[in-house]
Amino acid sequence: MAGSRRAVMGRPREFDIDEALERAMLLFWERGYEGVSLTALTTALGITKPSLYAAFGDKRELFRKALERYTEGPADYGTRALAEPTARGVAEAILRGAVRTTTRPGGPAGCLGVQGALASSEAGRPAHDMLVEWRNDSGLRLEERFQRAVDEGDLPRDADPRRLARYVMTVTFGIAVQAAGGLGHDELQDIADMAMERWPR
């Protein structure tokens, strides 16, 4: 009896964790944290609840892993943009990336980081707090990059890195909301271009 239990517990997983995480990310992106039930997750991932818990922990931890995958995958334009040689290039790359990512053909519209926890019930609080931290961290890294641009003379000495970072982040998240509402790539790129017209020179 004990031997058979060990055999069952020691069996390899019968699903691809990477593929399951990709499906979970897309599901959360499309429906948000509260819009995805455990049943919907297990059905989409093609696994049982015990397998889900064993591989990913609870729903909150699965959402965290999905957000990490989103950050390192579809939303990695934000990290790559920080390496642009000028502050203007950083801002342009972020806005272009937001337009491209939120209007991917065949993919969910909008941004997981914006829409993932729009509902405000207590059940969605863990995801809400996670995404607030995610957005704040993105803004802080952008502010630090713009501060460096001021220090290096790439931005005027009187430029305010915090205000510029908030400006870019607000337009970026606004693009995501408009994409979720049905605006297409060209319309959103026009908004991004208009935003850059106000960039300090």
Side-chain angles (χ1 to χ4, degrees):
M1 185 76 170
S4 65
R5 186 183 301 118
R6 279 196 299 272
V8 170
M9 291 176 63
R11 281 172 41 193
R13 291 192 180 101
E14 297 176 1
F15 65 95
D16 185 318
I17 290 184
D18 193 60
E19 182 181 331
L21 191 53
E22 177 75 11
R23 290 181 184 176
M25 178 194 73
L26 292 172
L27 200 59
F28 284 128
W29 188 352
E30 182 179 2
R31 301 185 193 176
Y33 181 82
E34 289 190 62
V36 179
S37 66
L38 280 175
T39 300
L41 280 169
T42 55
T43 299
L45 276 55
I47 60 177
T48 63
K49 286 182 183 179
S51 293
L52 185 147
Y53 290 132
F56 303 111
D58 59 14
K59 180 182 171 182
R60 174 182 178 173
E61 287 306 308
L62 176 55
F63 183 79
R64 184 186 300 279
K65 289 179 173 71
L67 182 60
E68 289 173 358
R69 186 179 185 89
Y70 178 77
T71 304
E72 295 166 3
D76 73 336
Y77 65 85
T79 300
R80 287 186 286 110
L82 297 176
E84 290 288 328
T86 66
R88 182 182 184 88
V90 170
E92 286 180 333
I94 288 174
L95 295 177
R96 278 197 311 270
V99 171
R100 186 175 60 252
T101 300
T102 60
T103 59
R104 297 192 321 167
C111 170
L112 172 60
V114 174
Q115 291 140 237
L118 289 181
S120 57
S121 78
E122 201 55 38
R125 178 58 58 179
H128 172 273
D129 293 346
M130 212 179 295
L131 293 181
V132 167
E133 181 180 346
W134 183 83
R135 292 191 296 267
N136 288 344
D137 179 66
S138 298
L140 180 60
R141 288 188 295 133
L142 189 56
E143 179 184 339
E144 291 170 348
R145 176 63 183 84
F146 289 158
Q147 180 61 61
R148 195 182 94 202
V150 171
D151 295 342
E152 294 173 350
D154 175 44
L155 281 172
R157 295 298 301 177
D158 62 350
D160 186 330
R162 178 172 295 179
R163 288 184 70 202
L164 285 173
R166 286 177 176 170
Y167 175 68
V168 172
M169 298 305 292
T170 298
V171 176
T172 299
F173 294 140
I175 285 170
V177 171
Q178 292 284 23
L183 285 189
H185 179 280
D186 293 346
E187 295 166 301
L188 293 172
Q189 186 58 55
D190 183 54
I191 292 170
D193 293 341
M194 287 177 62
M196 291 306 304
E197 291 174 6
R198 297 183 57 83
W199 193 254
R201 296 186 182 279

